[in-house]
């Protein structure tokens, strides 16, 4: 009889445990927002992101993290990487091995990396359908990311506008003018490797000018590779090496080694001039053909351990307070995506090309320019 009672008690505990497991596995898509916020209380959330900017890192560490803790009792962990594709590849491996407790929660990405994540089905789902603050976001940013339909899988964080940076008077604004300038001023110009998204935008801008059209394929870019090879001997270090990122390009400009830099953040110039990092007469401008303009986004890993905290974090990031803070040139200078704060960018604006083109440029440039 004692054994029978013991077995009944054991079975009861197992049934209660199973029931609790079922409750805990309730999908966030089946929860109300009140339930999501309640469950997020006390959770940790990680954001895997490019860590190459001290200003952006400081924004997350000194503004976002403390406010997220104070408002929602959520602990934010910033996970810096040099290439976002690395953690995405790890997420694919985790999916294939059916790992439930993933290595990351929120990812900062756009363009070809978003398409890669979407194609490999490693994202949580239509998170925008759950975010109360999404109604206050510019609807244009919700449609497509470098031509790839967003489908609710990512929420816009900010907007970018490609610029040239210099203190040179009457700077070159066409490909031909740039060719003439570098030939007359050898060693004073460079651009970041197109594995860097800003260096990639520089090459795409030249391509629009040289090819005479805004929509093209990598297979059309022969004249662009010819052009880059022609100016190569006149570049910094004779084109034998290139800055690995726009931040490295900024350092060369700040130290006086080159006369130009490039960026996707127009107000970065005012910030760096104020800090004394750039010469006082530095200013941003765009090439005559226009400026590539895009949005960057936050998304959630399919196997996130903390989906509630991830959703609350992103919902906070698309509210006006953190959006307004990051627009300050002294903080980040990134464009806001909320309807209330969205600002006018440099025009004309060039529509971003497909991820296939931006990705293809990396490989083709390496083979036809860097190795040549």
């Amino acid at each position: 009889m004692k054994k029978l009672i013991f077995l009944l008690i054991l079975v009861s505990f197992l049934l209660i445990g199973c029931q609790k497991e079922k409750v805990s596995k309730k999908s966030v898509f089946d929860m109300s927002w009140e339930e999501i916020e309640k469950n997020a209380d006390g959770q940790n959330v990680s954001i895997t992101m490019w860590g190459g900017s001290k200003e952006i890192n400081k924004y997350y560490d000194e503004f976002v993290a403390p406010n997220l803790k104070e408002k929602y009792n959520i602990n934010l962990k910033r996970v810096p990487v040099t290439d976002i594709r690395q953690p995405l590849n790890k997420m694919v491996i985790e999916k294939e091995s059916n790992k439930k407790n993933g290595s990351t929660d929120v990812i900062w990405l756009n363009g070809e990396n978003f398409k890669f994540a979407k194609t490999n089905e490693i994202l949580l789902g239509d998170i925008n359908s759950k975010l109360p603050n999404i109604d206050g976001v510019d609807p244009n940013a919700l449609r497509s990311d470098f031509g790839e339909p967003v489908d609710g899988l990512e929420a816009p964080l900010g907007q970018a506008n490609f610029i040239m940076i210099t203190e040179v008077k009457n700077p070159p604004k066409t490909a031909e003018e740039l060719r003439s300038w570098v030939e007359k001023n050898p060693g004073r110009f460079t651009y970041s490797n197109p594995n860097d998204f800003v260096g990639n935008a520089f090459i795409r801008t030249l391509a629009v000018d040289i090819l005479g059209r805004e929509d093209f394929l990598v297979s059309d870019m022969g004249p662009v590779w010819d052009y880059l090879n022609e100016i190569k001997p006149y570049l910094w270090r004779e084109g034998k090496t290139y800055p690995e990122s726009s931040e490295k390009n900024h350092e060369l400009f700040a130290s006086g080694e080159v006369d130009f830099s490039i960026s996707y953040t127009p107000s970065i110039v005012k910030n760096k001039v104020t800090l004394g990092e750039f010469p006082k007469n530095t200013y941003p401008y765009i090439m005559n053909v226009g400026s590539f303009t895009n949005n960057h986004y936050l998304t959630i890993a399919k196997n996130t351990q903390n989906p509630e905290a991830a959703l609350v974090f992103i919902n906070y990031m698309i509210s006006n307070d953190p959006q307004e803070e990051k627009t300050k040139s002294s903080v980040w200078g990134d464009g806001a995506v909320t309807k209330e704060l969205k600002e006018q960018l440099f025009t004309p604006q060039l529509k971003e090309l497909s991820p296939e083109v931006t990705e293809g440029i990396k490989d083709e440039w390496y083979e036809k320019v860097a190795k040549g």
Side-chain angles (χ1 to χ4, degrees):
M1 178 62 71
K2 289 183 178 179
K3 288 184 178 180
L4 180 60
I5 293 174
F6 174 77
L7 287 172
L8 288 172
I9 293 173
L10 180 61
V11 169
S12 298
F13 274 116
L14 289 173
L15 288 173
I16 292 171
C18 290
Q19 186 64 32
K20 285 184 177 179
E21 185 177 4
K22 286 180 181 178
V23 172
S24 66
K25 287 187 177 180
K26 181 179 179 182
S27 168
V28 288
F29 295 106
D30 295 325
M31 295 181 188
S32 67
W33 187 252
E34 290 72 20
E35 288 179 287
I36 290 172
E37 284 193 322
K38 182 179 179 180
N39 290 344
D41 188 342
Q43 286 187 352
N44 301 316
V45 63
S46 66
I47 174 171
T48 300
M49 55 179 281
W50 176 65
S53 167
K54 59 181 180 293
E55 291 88 1
I56 298 174
N57 296 342
K58 184 178 179 181
Y59 164 71
Y60 277 98
D61 295 343
E62 297 185 10
F63 180 85
V64 176
N67 278 284
L68 197 67
K69 179 67 175 178
E70 180 183 349
K71 294 175 183 293
Y72 304 103
N73 192 28
I74 293 173
N75 302 301
L76 179 66
K77 178 184 179 182
R78 182 173 55 81
V79 182
V81 296
T82 56
D83 183 357
I84 204 68
R85 185 59 63 90
Q86 295 173 354
L88 294 180
N89 286 333
K90 185 176 181 180
M91 289 164 61
V92 172
I93 295 172
E94 291 175 350
K95 176 193 172 187
E96 292 172 347
S97 62
N98 200 32
K99 184 178 180 180
K100 300 300 182 184
N101 296 321
S103 55
T104 190
D105 299 310
V106 176
I107 310 102
W108 180 31
L109 81 178
N110 73 348
E112 65 266 23
N113 288 316
F114 168 62
K115 184 167 185 181
F116 175 86
K118 180 181 179 182
T119 301
N120 283 278
E121 299 181 344
I122 54 176
L123 302 181
L124 184 63
D126 182 5
I127 60 173
N128 290 348
S129 67
K130 299 300 297 183
L131 303 174
N133 288 336
I134 205 71
D135 291 339
V137 169
D138 173 22
N140 293 320
L142 301 174
R143 297 189 180 108
S144 66
D145 179 355
F146 280 70
E148 181 66 28
V150 169
D151 294 333
L153 296 171
E154 55 179 3
L157 173 63
Q159 60 179 358
N161 203 193
F162 178 74
I163 57 164
M164 305 287 291
I165 297 171
T166 191
E167 60 172 341
V168 171
K169 295 180 179 179
N170 302 315
K173 294 186 177 181
T174 68
E176 280 307 309
E177 289 177 2
L178 180 61
R179 185 207 303 269
S180 176
W181 194 93
V182 298
E183 288 176 354
K184 293 176 181 177
N185 301 273
R188 303 298 300 172
F189 185 87
T190 190
Y191 59 93
S192 52
N193 182 317
N195 281 314
D196 169 62
F197 60 97
V198 184
N200 200 298
F202 170 72
I203 293 177
R204 297 198 305 276
T205 303
L206 288 179
V208 172
D209 190 352
I210 294 168
L211 300 176
R213 60 183 188 276
E214 296 184 22
D215 193 13
F216 52 85
L217 302 174
V218 176
S219 58
D220 300 324
M221 292 188 64
V224 182
W225 307 136
D226 291 341
Y227 173 92
L228 291 174
N229 280 315
E230 288 166 10
I231 68 171
K232 186 176 178 180
Y234 303 97
L235 299 181
W236 175 70
R237 294 188 177 177
E238 299 178 337
K240 294 176 181 177
T241 184
Y242 296 82
E244 64 188 31
S245 67
S246 58
E247 286 295 319
K248 295 296 183 182
N249 202 157
H250 295 338
E251 291 174 11
L252 293 175
F253 176 73
S255 66
E257 289 191 61
V258 297
D259 293 319
F260 292 83
S261 192
I262 53 179
S263 179
Y264 253 129
T265 309
S267 59
I268 195 174
V269 176
K270 182 179 179 181
N271 183 24
K272 288 188 175 294
V273 168
T274 301
L275 294 173
E277 296 179 17
F278 281 177
K280 65 179 182 179
N281 293 322
T282 303
Y283 65 95
Y285 76 97
I286 66 171
M287 301 291 274
N288 285 347
V289 292
S291 169
F292 277 103
T293 304
N294 63 59
N295 292 98
H296 46 96
Y297 297 79
L298 296 175
T299 188
I300 301 177
K302 190 172 186 176
N303 63 349
T304 171
Q305 297 185 55
N306 306 293
E308 297 94 342
L311 282 169
V312 173
F313 166 54
I314 293 179
N315 191 62
Y316 168 68
M317 293 301 293
I318 60 174
S319 65
N320 280 328
D321 283 351
Q323 286 286 310
E324 184 173 20
E325 180 69 13
K326 72 182 179 66
T327 64
K328 297 176 182 176
S329 61
S330 60
V331 177
W332 177 352
D334 186 46
V337 295
T338 56
K339 298 172 187 175
E340 183 177 326
L341 299 173
K342 192 174 185 295
E343 57 192 307
Q344 185 63 42
L345 300 178
F346 278 99
T347 58
Q349 294 176 11
L350 297 174
K351 182 180 179 182
E352 286 290 6
L353 301 170
S354 70
E356 287 79 10
V357 173
T358 55
E359 191 75 9
I361 284 174
K362 298 178 183 180
D363 299 331
E364 287 283 308
W365 178 86
Y366 180 74
E367 290 296 326
K368 298 189 176 180
V369 179
K371 287 176 64 175

